[in-house]
Amino acid sequence: MNAHPLPPVVDAGTWEHRLEALRAREKAATRELDAIAAERRRLPMVEMPDYTLEGKDGPVRLVDVFEGKRQLIVYNHMWFTGKEWQCPGCTGFTSQFTRLEFLDDYDARFVIVTQGAIEEALAYRQRVGNRMAWYSTANSPFGADVGAPPDGGFAVNVFLRDGDTVYRTWHTDGRGTEQLSHSFALIDLLPYGRQEEWQDSPEGWPQSPTYSRWATSKTVAALYGPPAG
């Protein structure tokens, strides 16, 4: 008897039939995501105040965070003052983005904004090996105004610049950020999936408490951070 649960074994014809049925649903979901993206492109927008954030070189206006681009994606990273290791979900999520130059062709930039003081934020960025540009909203209401208040959750916001005027065009939080990640997309392809208790899986499938398989921030630092010494 196999110690690990396995999907049923069938002949090739039966497998092809089941796969075809699943792929029909997958293709329908893809078309629905296309329709959602089309609606996102039709959303109205709201004008933003002239916020000033803190960057590695000092104060910087929100409009200048674009660095000449017209579009800006901001990941609001959770931050808890005085903690050595910040949110593992945020740390792991943002560690995936190491090659963002392709956004140049789309007149766009992707940065991190956190409530942490800029010196602490940049030190944490270095410790965990993050490659993205970081900014601080510790001395600005910007984070709170876009759904990421002090000691609050994470968020993703998108902005559009027209000259010196910045507009907010989109926002999400919670599981809405999954569409930006490749990790869950890959894990969800696996026969056992995420192996978390909340997931609908066949009886006997390996399942663990939610988040228990996620890498800790310390693990992310060990994998991607600067070498010792």
Side-chain angles (χ1 to χ4, degrees):
M1 180 178 179
N2 197 310
H4 302 286
L6 298 171
V9 178
V10 297
D11 61 85
T14 301
W15 181 79
E16 290 281 359
H17 177 73
R18 290 287 298 273
L19 177 63
E20 189 76 18
L22 178 60
R23 288 191 65 200
R25 295 180 63 185
E26 291 173 344
K27 296 300 183 182
T30 298
R31 290 191 292 272
E32 176 61 13
L33 288 174
D34 286 343
I36 291 171
E39 181 63 22
R40 189 181 295 118
R41 291 189 292 273
R42 288 166 172 78
L43 278 176
M45 58 187 184
V46 61
E47 185 175 344
M48 302 295 286
D50 186 15
Y51 294 103
T52 297
L53 309 182
E54 294 285 334
K56 63 181 178 62
D57 297 320
V60 55
R61 295 171 63 203
L62 176 61
V63 68
D64 293 325
V65 174
F66 286 73
E67 291 196 343
K69 304 291 192 297
R70 293 202 64 205
Q71 302 171 104
L72 177 70
I73 302 169
V74 170
Y75 183 81
N76 295 94
H77 195 296
M78 290 178 69
W79 191 270
F80 299 97
T81 303
K83 297 288 187 181
E84 179 183 7
W85 301 108
Q86 297 297 329
C87 168
C90 291
T91 303
F93 175 82
T94 57
S95 72
Q96 301 173 63
F97 300 101
T98 59
R99 297 178 179 177
L100 291 168
E101 293 80 8
F102 70 91
L103 287 174
D104 292 344
D105 293 333
Y106 295 87
D107 202 12
R109 192 177 187 222
F110 188 5
V111 304
I112 293 176
V113 172
T114 183
Q115 291 283 356
I118 189 61
E119 296 81 6
E120 295 179 27
L122 293 176
Y124 189 72
R125 173 186 182 271
Q126 173 71 12
R127 188 183 315 142
V128 299
N130 195 284
R131 305 287 184 85
M132 299 172 74
W134 284 53
Y135 297 87
S136 168
T137 185
N139 299 312
S140 164
F142 173 75
D145 289 351
V146 298
D151 297 328
F154 59 93
V156 177
N157 286 277
V158 179
F159 303 93
L160 180 66
R161 180 182 64 83
D162 183 25
D164 282 343
T165 304
V166 175
Y167 299 91
R168 187 184 185 196
T169 66
W170 188 73
H171 166 267
T172 194
D173 54 19
R175 294 191 64 198
T177 62
E178 286 186 12
Q179 64 181 292
L180 308 180
S181 164
H182 69 256
S183 59
F184 288 128
L186 291 176
I187 294 168
D188 284 343
L189 294 178
L190 301 173
Y192 294 142
R194 303 186 197 183
Q195 302 178 46
E196 296 191 352
E197 291 173 338
W198 64 270
Q199 285 201 294
D200 181 1
S201 296
E203 185 162 353
W205 249 228
Q207 289 187 301
S208 307
T210 303
Y211 311 129
S212 62
R213 292 180 181 271
W214 290 25
T216 66
S217 298
K218 189 174 182 179
T219 299
V220 171
L223 291 171
Y224 307 120

